[in-house]
Amino acid sequence: MSTSATDSVTTPPEGVIAPTNEPVSEPVPTPVPIQHAPVVPNAGGGAQPAQPFHSASLYVGDLAPDVNEGLLFEIFNAVGPVASIRVCRDAVTRRSLGYAYINFHQIADAERALDTMNYTMIKTRPCRIMWSQRDPSLRRSGVGNIFVKNLHTSIDNKQLYDTFSLFGNILSCKVVTEPQSGDSKGYGYVHYETAEAANAAIEKLDGMLIDGQEVQVGHFMRRNERPGQSDWTNCYVKNIPLEWDDAKLNEVFSTYGEVISATITFGTPKVFKKKKTQPVPVETDKDNESA
């Protein structure tokens, strides 16, 4: 989809961020969080929660630093009438944090934008769209969240999404990349709407080949929840004599117990530049004679 303004874009109604090439200085309403349907009685007389339904609010991430509300309005208003747009910025520098919230008037328009515009190019980057989740308990619960590692470096967000979306509705999907180069680190996360979809993906894809490389898929676990964290046996040693090698390091520390592995890594030595000094004038016999 083109990111340039067209003559077909109509003037937004009152309360909507109008397209502009400059960042909007006035704050706009925060997106409406995902809501859940009320509990309704089932046929047996017990209470059973109805299926959750989404608001018309979308999260748009992986944005270029110069993407502002005006550009996003031009792009997403072509899908359906936009109620409000907010690009999140640093409170001090006012620089973009790389993500935004877009509120539509109709849920159907938000669904259409999610289906047709996810991973399309905005400026120089493919955007990543998902339903806005403002309830932190939904994100922290870990339900439906899986971890995928040993990914081929050619796998991007869209390819990961296309592969795992076969098993259920995905709330968010991301391949972790290097901040500077943007190269894949070889792992990512997929968050499903239900635990059943996550379990199905793990059962079918764990150990399978994706782009010629066997991947490992499992339930995501926070660092403090992973087994063996209290039995951590690694040691970090610095200021080691330059003449030591791996064998010497192993020999010294093996006196305190069995060493499974010992490795010395040499960093790049720092080079300190000498300060330039101004030459001091020296008197000569000719200078004395002229005086």
Side-chain angles (χ1 to χ4, degrees):
M1 179 173 290
S2 174
T3 59
S4 61
T6 61
D7 295 337
S8 61
V9 176
T10 59
T11 302
E14 184 179 356
V16 178
I17 304 298
T20 175
N21 293 328
E22 298 297 328
V24 176
S25 58
E26 294 295 329
V28 296
T30 56
V32 180
I34 291 179
Q35 301 176 358
H36 295 274
V39 176
V40 296
N42 58 18
Q48 180 180 2
Q51 291 297 322
F53 60 91
H54 296 285
S55 71
S57 179
L58 296 178
Y59 165 95
V60 184
D62 297 346
L63 296 175
D66 55 344
V67 172
N68 57 30
E69 288 86 350
L71 178 59
L72 292 177
F73 180 87
E74 294 177 8
I75 297 172
F76 286 89
N77 196 63
V79 178
V82 173
S84 63
I85 298 177
R86 179 189 179 191
V87 174
C88 295
R89 305 179 185 277
D90 184 271
V92 178
T93 64
R94 304 306 300 163
R95 293 178 180 174
S96 171
L97 298 177
Y99 63 93
Y101 293 99
I102 299 179
N103 292 336
F104 286 90
H105 288 288
Q106 301 294 331
I107 296 179
D109 294 332
E111 292 177 343
R112 189 182 307 110
L114 180 61
D115 293 337
T116 62
M117 302 186 63
N118 205 5
Y119 305 113
T120 57
M121 298 294 293
I122 297 181
K123 291 282 188 176
T124 58
R125 300 181 183 179
C127 67
R128 186 167 56 92
I129 306 175
M130 60 186 185
W131 291 108
S132 171
Q133 295 186 53
R134 304 292 288 181
D135 185 357
S137 63
L138 297 175
R139 300 192 297 268
R140 295 170 184 169
S141 65
V143 175
N145 204 358
I146 65 176
F147 175 71
V148 187
K149 67 178 181 178
N150 202 33
L151 288 171
H152 194 278
T153 53
S154 64
I155 300 294
D156 58 12
N157 292 329
K158 186 178 187 307
Q159 291 173 293
L160 188 67
Y161 182 92
D162 291 341
T163 302
F164 283 82
S165 62
L166 301 174
F167 303 96
N169 185 29
I170 293 178
L171 298 178
S172 65
C173 176
K174 184 174 179 63
V175 175
V176 179
T177 58
E178 295 287 350
Q180 301 299 329
S181 62
D183 297 333
S184 170
K185 288 187 175 182
Y187 65 93
Y189 304 93
V190 180
H191 193 181
Y192 284 100
E193 191 172 34
T194 64
E196 292 76 13
N199 293 333
I202 294 173
E203 181 182 353
K204 297 294 185 182
L205 294 179
D206 186 30
M208 298 294 290
L209 295 179
I210 298 180
D211 204 4
Q213 194 157 305
E214 182 178 331
V215 299
Q216 298 179 30
V217 185
H219 291 287
F220 169 74
M221 299 181 65
R222 292 182 176 85
R223 188 180 299 275
N224 57 357
E225 298 174 350
R226 298 171 190 170
Q229 290 299 306
S230 58
D231 302 328
W232 191 257
T233 58
N234 281 11
C235 290
Y236 171 75
V237 186
K238 64 180 182 178
N239 294 332
I240 297 175
L242 296 176
E243 62 272 12
W244 282 23
D245 56 9
D246 294 350
K248 179 63 176 179
L249 181 66
N250 195 330
E251 176 188 348
V252 172
F253 282 85
S254 62
T255 59
Y256 302 96
E258 181 184 359
V259 176
I260 298 177
S261 65
T263 304
I264 295 178
T265 303
F266 293 95
T268 304
K270 294 182 179 180
V271 179
F272 298 94
K273 295 182 179 180
K274 294 183 179 180
K275 294 182 179 180
K276 294 183 179 180
T277 57
Q278 297 293 334
V280 179
V282 179
E283 292 184 359
T284 61
D285 295 338
K286 291 183 179 181
D287 293 333
N288 295 332
E289 290 176 1
S290 62

